[in-house]
Amino acid sequence: MGRFAPLLPELILSIGGTILMLVAAFTGRRGSGLTSWLSVALLIAATFALMGAPSHAGPVFDGLIAADLFASFGKAIMFPAAAIAIIAAHGWFEHDHEHSSEYAVLIVFSAVGMSVMVSATSLVSLYVGLELQSLAAYVLASYRRSDERSAEAGLKYFVLGALASGILLYGISLLYGFTGTMNFTGLASAFGRGAPSLGLLFGLVFLLAGLAFKASVVPFHMWTPDVYEGAPTPVTAFFASAPKVAAVLLATRVCIEALGPATEAWRQIVIFAALASIFLGAVGAFGQTNIKRLLAYSSINNVGFALIGLAAAGPQGASSVLFYMAVYIVMTLGAFLCVLWMRRPDGEPVETIASLSGLSQTRPAFAAAIAIFMFSLAGIPPLFGFWPKLLVFNAAVASGYVALAVAGIVGTVVGAYYYLKIVKVMYMDDPVEPFERAREPIQGFLILLAAVIVSPLGYLLIGPLGALTDRAAGALF
Amino acid sequence: MSQLPLLSILVGIPLLGAVLCLFVRAEAARWIALIATLLDLALGSYLWALYDPSGPQWQFVEFVTLGGGINWALGIDGIALVLIMLSVFLMPICIGASWRAIEKRVPEYMAYFLLMEALMLGVFAAQDLFLFYIFFEGGLIPMYLIIGVWGGAERIKASYKFFLYTLFGSVLMLIAMLYMVITAKTTFIPDLMAYDFPVHAQTWLWLAFFASFAVKMPMWPVHTWLPDAHVQAPTAGSVILAGVLLKMGGYGFIRFSLPMFPEGSLQFIPLVFALSGIAVVYTSLVALVQRDMKKLIAYSSVAHMAFVTFGLFAMNRQGIEGAMVVMLSHGLVSGALFLCVGVVYDRLHSREIEKYGGLSNNMPGYALLFMVFTMASVGLPGTSGFVGEFLSLVGTYHASTWAAIVATTGIILGAAYMLWLYWRIAFGTARTKEAAAMKDLSAREWWLLAPIAAAVFWMGIYPESFVRPIRNDVGRLLVRLERVAPAGDSQPTPGKPKLKVIDAEGQHGEAH
């Protein structure tokens, strides 16, 4: 039993998820509320289990998985995010009587996949975790069967995702063929033996390309706006938060643990991907009229900033990536919870930016919350979204990449334009038909909580959160 | 020294007021805002009274560490003190100016103004580099909303321009700050002011800071956001923009660029003088042809701020003290001039100079006060404008004769556009019937303008009150600049007494 102790969170989720699936099968539509709340309870229990699980257990199962602090940090932000994605669906699917219990169960399985992703220390477990997460995600994207956009999103996501998996597998096979090992430490020592061979370099590039797809990093981002727009909004909220964090954290671990000695080889790729994501994410959002598409570009843009921290490498860079993703997840979930509340008086959801016109006069508190998330996503002080941006730039400057930091920060100004546009629409335009008043106290509380965290009060978190990310990043070195 | 965290309270009062405003109706919000700003004025005056000019450089120091490389470090020297005084003095006047002029969404408006005040005071009081940046940038959000929601017809464009222009300037400064903190291993501004950065790095650091402060100041050619923002902003917004926000640029130069990068500053004196010289002449000429009163005053601001940059980069006592007095004086005078425009705008809803005329007939009180501020803007002896401009010109003359010559033309041009403006508005006969029917100042408007007029005369007649707190700090800055201060081209040179020359020639002749 002792050797399973580090896996306690995953065990809780896997066993619990399997049981819930049976519950769902037997209760059908009637049990959807029950399974949802039980799933939330499972995720919360898994989060608490993180504290109990020994976080320095080192490699388990012959080095397939590491239950270190880095993985625990990732799980500690992803599990609650997954739970929020379940809560977000409450009251959403009821509108069109489609809410069946599988939604919550799928998210639980996706969470298992993500937690394997962030703790993977072998290419096999990496792939298994990634696929487990992705397969659940493909189904979730097309969850509203009757909606063409949702079906299209699912199909698009699946076809492109399968392609990316293929690329990733090809990279894995190359790496395995040229090194004879799947293990991250084994890979690192293979890369450490002088300049990497051409085969190893190809393997590295394909591996990173596959990961870039999962994290929706330019140039592998094309699916993002379409899938985000088409998927049901609670699912979009989920996609933009937890799986994104998992992919970025996985990429961080691969780059530092497995490819550490080849830093010079992957750094140029990461720098390109970071800057391309920042600028394309900013420019792509300009003409958007759909808020979900706009947030999709915003998420591309934000991952670009996190990658600046990764490009800086070193403990400081890794720590800034963790900090960035932790704050990002709060801002994104907050913003998407607000989008969930955008409903016409007849209850029909709306997604156009124009429908927000004059919101500050019809729903001042709601408008203020969106404005806080927008300014924070743009990284304007005194909101808390500024601080993680500062940290990634700081890491870049500290490792001598001043030009990268300058280019990135110019990108924030370009990006600020479209965030300002939303604030302008809410505050400076004339009011249109007001939204339906939401009756979801738990979601309201979550929006409030997220808004408080990204408000200037968040600066009080810098000390503890910074210490935590430093320690978590230290686990990689 | 008192144990109360006075500076935190100073920042906290308007913040609290802002939150309260959001939960009440229009009339209550007005009163909350007025009371909060008056409390801050009282507290500011108390600080001024407590401040010991011959004491330590940093007073009222507070330090709470937040961890992760940022500290809640506050503390002020004399330079920050006088600018804080300027801010707390102008704020209640701004609230008063918006009392009736703002009718829609009043609680929100007052909340943004109070938030603005808290952030401005934070800028001047911050002793931590990142804390400074947060306050400095944070001010963009409320100002963006003030211009965008309550501004004139072109408000949206103006608000975007204001926000993105100033943001772009500032982000480069942030990278420079990161470099500084990594090099010097401290975020504490007083330590950084004494740290010698490598000379080659100073060039880039100086330019990065210059990008931010030059936009804020604003200096030619990055001033173009200012006329738009000023014209479109509501009256009180213009007052605070001209009165305090522009001063952040000058404050930045005096707090960061000069003491932290002396060699870098020396290198770029020609650039600063050239840009300031162009600003003085060019923007004055542009001001001369404006038809819109607010635009005219906005351009005059750019010209006046050039005196500040001239004085600061002369790097001598007269220049820097003069620059400080110009900043204070311009804060009062341009604020008052915008209020004067606001007074007639509230009555006629037009800023066109064409529509007015002969106001001295039906608005004698208004004409009197407007004249006082016009004269102060021109720099008439006895008003605050004279003291500052004279000192900074003397300082500039020490550093560079040519710069002083160009700068002085600004006084003449300034007189031209201001006096012409006054003539067209106050003298002659009314050009429209509506202008002739306007009523003179109400009691509220007297209360807004009279205190500024009193301060203008006080600063003009007895500037010592305002120079005393900053004297030692300017001295400390000069010590820091000693090794680089330019020698100047107008040194007193020993003459060649004629008598000796003749003697020498005589001897010369005798020897042969």
Side-chain angles (χ1 to χ4, degrees):
Chain A
M1 192 61 213
R3 51 188 290 234
F4 288 107
L7 293 178
L8 189 59
E10 287 84 352
L11 288 176
I12 293 178
L13 290 179
S14 315
I15 297 171
T18 317
I19 295 171
L20 278 181
M21 196 145 63
L22 292 174
V23 173
F26 282 103
T27 54
R29 191 172 288 159
R30 281 172 296 121
S32 72
L34 177 74
T35 39
S36 293
W37 290 114
L38 283 177
S39 307
V40 171
L42 274 182
L43 286 161
I44 293 172
T47 314
F48 278 105
L50 286 172
M51 292 179 214
S55 50
H56 305 289
V60 246
F61 298 136
D62 291 332
L64 277 178
I65 294 266
D68 55 5
L69 207 56
F70 181 83
S72 300
F73 183 85
K75 291 171 202 169
I77 55 177
M78 290 182 315
F79 291 162
I84 289 171
I86 297 175
I87 296 172
H90 189 71
W92 173 270
F93 291 112
E94 269 88 349
H95 271 283
D96 36 37
H97 310 290
E98 274 192 19
H99 192 215
S100 42
S101 339
E102 287 88 0
Y103 173 81
V105 180
L106 281 169
I107 286 198
V108 169
F109 281 124
S110 183
V112 178
M114 292 187 297
S115 86
V116 174
M117 278 165 82
V118 293
S119 34
T121 52
S122 157
L123 294 175
V124 174
S125 46
L126 176 156
Y127 184 73
V128 169
L130 206 110
E131 282 305 292
L132 180 53
Q133 185 271 316
S134 299
L135 283 172
Y138 301 145
V139 182
L140 283 171
S142 50
Y143 197 74
R144 275 178 93 171
R145 283 162 304 187
S146 51
D147 183 359
E148 278 175 24
R149 286 193 314 164
S150 179
E152 182 195 328
L155 189 64
K156 242 179 204 166
Y157 195 20
F158 175 70
V159 172
L160 289 173
L163 180 70
S165 294
I167 295 175
L168 185 79
L169 269 181
Y170 186 49
I172 290 176
S173 67
L174 278 174
L175 287 176
Y176 179 63
F178 278 83
T179 60
T181 176
M182 289 278 195
N183 201 293
F184 283 5
T185 41
L187 284 173
S189 59
F191 273 102
R193 278 180 235 124
S197 67
L198 199 61
L200 278 182
L201 276 184
F202 264 94
L204 179 150
V205 171
F206 281 122
L207 182 65
L208 288 183
L211 293 181
F213 176 88
K214 298 292 169 191
S216 66
V217 168
V218 177
F220 301 98
H221 66 287
M222 290 82 92
W223 59 276
T224 320
D226 289 344
V227 172
Y228 278 26
E229 187 192 354
T233 309
V235 176
T236 314
F238 177 64
F239 284 174
S241 56
K244 205 139 209 175
V245 173
V248 170
L249 260 55
L250 174 62
T252 308
R253 192 195 279 278
V254 167
C255 282
I256 289 169
E257 268 192 0
L259 311 175
T263 302
E264 290 316 310
W266 57 258
R267 183 179 266 156
Q268 41 187 326
I269 301 174
V270 173
I271 288 178
F272 167 78
L275 291 181
S277 302
I278 289 171
F279 281 96
L280 217 121
V283 175
F286 273 14
Q288 302 303 335
T289 51
N290 181 302
I291 186 122
K292 280 162 78 181
R293 278 188 93 83
L294 185 128
L295 286 172
Y297 280 106
S298 153
S299 81
I300 296 173
N301 175 270
N302 271 289
V303 168
F305 288 110
L307 289 185
I308 285 187
L310 177 57
Q316 200 183 358
S319 163
S320 70
V321 173
L322 291 178
F323 201 108
Y324 198 99
M325 294 321 283
V327 179
Y328 164 79
I329 213 168
V330 177
M331 299 188 291
T332 304
L333 282 174
F336 272 107
L337 283 173
C338 289
V339 174
L340 279 172
W341 277 17
M342 290 167 56
R343 289 212 192 110
R344 280 210 303 262
D346 59 3
E348 201 51 35
V350 276
E351 293 168 5
T352 56
I353 293 174
S355 69
L356 288 167
S357 297
L359 191 67
S360 71
Q361 289 165 70
T362 50
R363 290 287 145 73
F366 189 22
I370 299 182
I372 285 177
F373 295 128
M374 290 303 138
F375 278 124
S376 190
L377 280 166
I380 309 289
L383 294 160
F384 194 41
F386 161 70
W387 195 255
K389 284 209 167 65
L390 179 112
L391 287 180
V392 293
F393 293 133
N394 191 32
V397 174
S399 48
Y401 287 82
V402 178
L404 173 65
V406 169
I409 209 159
V410 169
T412 63
V413 181
V414 181
Y417 173 77
Y418 66 83
Y419 294 115
L420 278 185
K421 194 174 101 181
I422 296 197
V423 176
K424 177 227 141 197
V425 168
M426 290 190 306
Y427 279 81
M428 302 174 194
D429 287 358
D430 293 325
V432 290
E433 188 187 32
F435 292 136
E436 179 199 31
R437 206 167 273 281
R439 288 175 298 271
E440 300 286 345
I442 301 177
Q443 288 176 19
F445 169 75
L446 288 171
I447 292 178
L448 183 70
L449 186 70
V452 168
I453 291 176
V454 300
S455 78
L457 291 176
Y459 285 83
L460 298 174
L461 288 175
I462 290 177
L465 190 57
L468 203 60
T469 56
D470 280 347
R471 278 177 55 212
L476 293 184
F477 293 90
Chain B
M1 199 105 311
S2 140
Q3 288 303 305
L4 274 174
L6 285 178
L7 290 174
S8 292
I9 298 175
L10 193 72
V11 176
I13 291 174
L15 218 50
L16 186 69
V19 174
L20 284 181
C21 276
L22 291 175
F23 294 99
V24 295
R25 288 173 183 284
E27 198 59 25
R30 290 191 179 108
W31 282 104
I32 288 175
L34 187 65
I35 291 167
T37 50
L38 284 175
L39 272 178
D40 250 23
L41 176 60
L43 188 59
S45 314
Y46 180 62
L47 283 180
W48 197 14
L50 278 187
Y51 184 81
D52 175 11
S54 50
Q57 182 178 6
W58 302 98
Q59 305 188 11
F60 312 109
V61 176
E62 295 169 32
F63 191 92
V64 179
T65 182
L66 296 178
I70 184 168
N71 304 304
W72 179 258
L74 301 181
I76 52 171
D77 63 353
I79 294 166
L81 175 78
V82 290
L83 288 169
I84 286 179
M85 278 312 296
L86 177 68
S87 316
V88 294
F89 177 73
L90 285 177
M91 273 319 280
I93 294 173
C94 285
I95 301 294
S98 325
W99 204 263
R100 290 279 163 253
I102 300 296
E103 285 295 343
K104 64 167 186 177
R105 296 160 77 180
V106 178
E108 250 183 285
Y109 177 88
M110 294 296 169
Y112 296 144
F113 251 88
L114 292 173
L115 178 62
M116 188 79 222
E117 178 176 26
L119 293 169
M120 286 182 322
L121 295 174
V123 166
F124 296 130
Q127 266 193 320
D128 182 281
L129 201 57
F130 292 134
L131 191 64
F132 168 83
Y133 185 82
I134 288 167
F135 282 131
F136 190 78
E137 283 293 279
L140 293 182
I141 296 175
M143 203 64 211
Y144 166 73
L145 291 168
I146 289 170
I147 297 175
V149 178
W150 293 274
E154 296 278 307
R155 62 206 160 86
I156 307 285
K157 184 181 150 228
S159 63
Y160 272 119
K161 206 167 171 183
F162 164 77
F163 195 101
L164 294 175
Y165 236 97
T166 29
L167 181 67
F168 184 72
S170 309
V171 292
L172 295 175
M173 177 171 80
L174 182 66
I175 297 291
M177 286 180 165
L178 292 171
Y179 176 88
M180 288 161 67
V181 170
I182 289 165
T183 315
K185 296 190 175 52
T186 175
T187 56
F188 196 51
I189 290 176
D191 289 350
L192 287 166
M193 285 165 75
Y195 188 87
D196 291 312
F197 289 97
V199 175
H200 67 92
Q202 284 194 17
T203 309
W204 298 108
L205 294 175
W206 191 91
L207 280 173
F209 275 77
F210 183 71
S212 174
F213 299 143
V215 170
K216 211 75 184 199
M217 192 93 187
M219 291 176 77
W220 186 87
V222 285
H223 66 282
T224 55
W225 64 270
L226 180 90
D228 284 340
H230 266 321
V231 171
Q232 299 305 330
T235 302
S238 303
V239 173
I240 216 67
L241 204 54
V244 187
L245 285 191
L246 302 191
K247 307 302 169 286
M248 287 181 188
Y251 176 75
F253 280 128
I254 214 167
R255 176 69 74 237
F256 296 93
S257 302
L258 287 173
M260 293 185 192
F261 325 120
E263 278 85 9
S265 303
L266 175 69
Q267 241 177 328
F268 288 106
I269 288 179
L271 173 74
V272 174
F273 279 3
L275 293 183
S276 310
I278 294 172
V280 161
V281 177
Y282 170 74
T283 50
S284 296
L285 290 175
V286 172
L288 210 48
V289 297
Q290 294 305 319
R291 287 146 183 263
D292 183 311
M293 284 191 256
K294 262 184 148 179
K295 222 166 194 166
L296 190 151
I297 298 166
Y299 276 109
S300 87
S301 289
V302 182
H304 276 104
M305 295 321 278
F307 284 112
V308 176
T309 39
F310 266 128
L312 287 177
F313 283 84
M315 296 194 186
N316 51 42
R317 180 172 286 281
Q318 289 93 332
I320 295 173
E321 284 182 1
M324 280 302 299
V325 179
V326 172
M327 285 208 272
L328 296 179
S329 156
H330 175 264
L332 296 174
V333 172
S334 69
L337 286 172
F338 278 121
L339 285 173
C340 287
V341 175
V343 166
V344 288
Y345 181 78
D346 288 346
R347 288 165 172 69
L348 210 58
H349 295 284
S350 170
R351 295 183 301 261
E352 293 280 311
I353 300 172
E354 294 274 301
K355 298 255 173 78
Y356 297 92
L359 293 190
S360 54
N361 299 322
N362 53 331
M363 301 175 76
Y366 175 75
L368 173 74
L369 283 174
F370 194 13
M371 188 180 70
V372 169
F373 298 125
T374 303
M375 290 305 166
S377 177
V378 171
L380 191 77
T383 61
S384 59
F386 171 74
V387 181
E389 285 174 18
F390 180 74
L391 277 174
S392 69
L393 284 176
V394 169
T396 313
Y397 183 68
H398 278 303
S400 161
T401 315
W402 281 107
I405 290 173
V406 177
T408 314
T409 60
I411 304 234
I412 301 160
L413 289 169
Y417 60 73
M418 282 314 296
L419 292 177
W420 195 32
L421 170 73
Y422 185 73
W423 176 75
R424 281 181 289 175
I425 287 184
F427 294 147
T429 50
R431 291 192 190 83
T432 53
K433 241 189 288 169
E434 293 84 359
M438 292 198 299
K439 287 202 178 68
D440 204 357
L441 297 179
S442 68
R444 178 178 65 88
E445 287 158 344
W446 272 104
W447 273 106
L448 298 179
L449 290 169
I452 306 186
V456 163
F457 281 121
W458 183 4
M459 206 182 286
I461 294 167
Y462 193 67
E464 176 63 13
S465 313
F466 302 90
V467 177
R468 197 192 307 122
I470 66 172
R471 184 165 290 132
N472 282 338
D473 296 305
V474 173
R476 290 184 187 103
L477 179 59
L478 288 172
V479 171
R480 186 86 184 125
L481 291 172
E482 210 165 26
R483 61 172 194 262
V484 298
D489 52 5
S490 53
Q491 298 294 321
T493 40
K496 298 189 185 112
K498 252 187 181 163
L499 207 63
K500 265 193 178 166
V501 174
I502 293 164
D503 269 357
E505 271 176 7
Q507 281 165 10
H508 192 75
E510 260 179 23
H512 287 272

